[in-house]
């Protein structure tokens, strides 16, 4: 598992490697107490076929068997169907990059200040 971060770095330009708080569209997530080593990638700086269908960030850590999170940030109430498409698209991209690595923990994360209970439960079922 020591190779996870190295494997991902081979697929991303240097300017896509991100440090500090995650911030997009007025939505901010603090990155406190995260495991080391880790890597955060701004997926908006990756060449993709369709930019509208990709999550905002990828977080990877080699801690605890390997972690990959694809993260979508939304300021207000998100369109859940669109957010799911973005997370799934990012997951497929990451799968291509890491197909030879054994990653024990993978999760799609939607961060929003405006989810209703119905939307939250709908997202959890996907």
């Amino acid at each position: 598992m020591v190779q996870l971060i190295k494997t991902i770095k081979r697929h991303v330009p240097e300017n896509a490697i991100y440090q500090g708080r995650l911030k997009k569209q007025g939505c901010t997530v603090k990155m406190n107490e995260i495991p080391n080593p880790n890597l955060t990638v701004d997926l908006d700086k990756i060449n993709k076929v369709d930019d509208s269908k990709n999550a905002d960030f990828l977080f990877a850590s080699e801690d605890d068997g390997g972690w990959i999170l694809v993260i979508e940030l939304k300021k207000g109430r998100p369109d859940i169907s669109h957010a799911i498409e973005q997370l799934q698209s990012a997951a497929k991209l990451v799968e291509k990059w890491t197909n030879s690595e054994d990653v024990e923990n993978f999760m799609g994360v939607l961060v929003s200040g405006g989810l209703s209970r119905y939307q939250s439960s709908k997202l959890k079922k996907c």
Side-chain angles (χ1 to χ4, degrees), residues 61-76:
S61 171
E62 295 172 358
D63 185 54
D64 216 16
W67 273 94
I68 294 182
L69 305 176
V70 290
I71 304 167
E72 176 62 23
L73 305 180
K74 299 290 187 191
K75 183 177 181 178

Side-chain angles (χ1 to χ4, degrees), residues 10 18 25 33 38 47 53 58 67 69 76 79 82 86 88 99 125:
R10 284 194 299 244
Y18 195 87
Q25 302 174 355
E33 300 180 31
N38 67 67
N47 292 331
K53 292 186 181 169
L58 171 148
W67 273 94
L69 305 176
D79 175 343
H82 183 65
Q86 290 174 294
Q88 287 173 336
N99 66 356
K125 292 177 184 177

Side-chain angles (χ1 to χ4, degrees), residues 30-94:
K30 293 178 183 176
M31 298 295 283
N32 298 339
E33 300 180 31
I34 56 176
N36 280 309
N38 67 67
L39 174 69
T40 303
V41 177
D42 182 342
L43 293 175
D44 288 337
K45 295 188 178 179
I46 303 296
N47 292 331
K48 300 170 290 290
V49 174
D50 184 357
D51 286 341
S52 67
K53 292 186 181 169
N54 214 337
D56 293 316
F57 294 97
L58 171 148
F59 172 81
S61 171
E62 295 172 358
D63 185 54
D64 216 16
W67 273 94
I68 294 182
L69 305 176
V70 290
I71 304 167
E72 176 62 23
L73 305 180
K74 299 290 187 191
K75 183 177 181 178
R77 297 179 95 173
D79 175 343
I80 297 295
S81 297
H82 183 65
I84 289 170
E85 286 178 7
Q86 290 174 294
L87 293 168
Q88 287 173 336
S89 178
K92 288 177 186 174
L93 180 65
V94 172

Side-chain angles (χ1 to χ4, degrees), residues 5-22:
I5 290 174
K6 192 176 191 178
T7 298
I8 293 171
K9 276 187 170 182
R10 284 194 299 244
H11 297 279
V12 300
E14 189 66 34
N15 72 332
I17 296 174
Y18 195 87
Q19 299 286 327
R21 295 179 184 190
L22 304 183

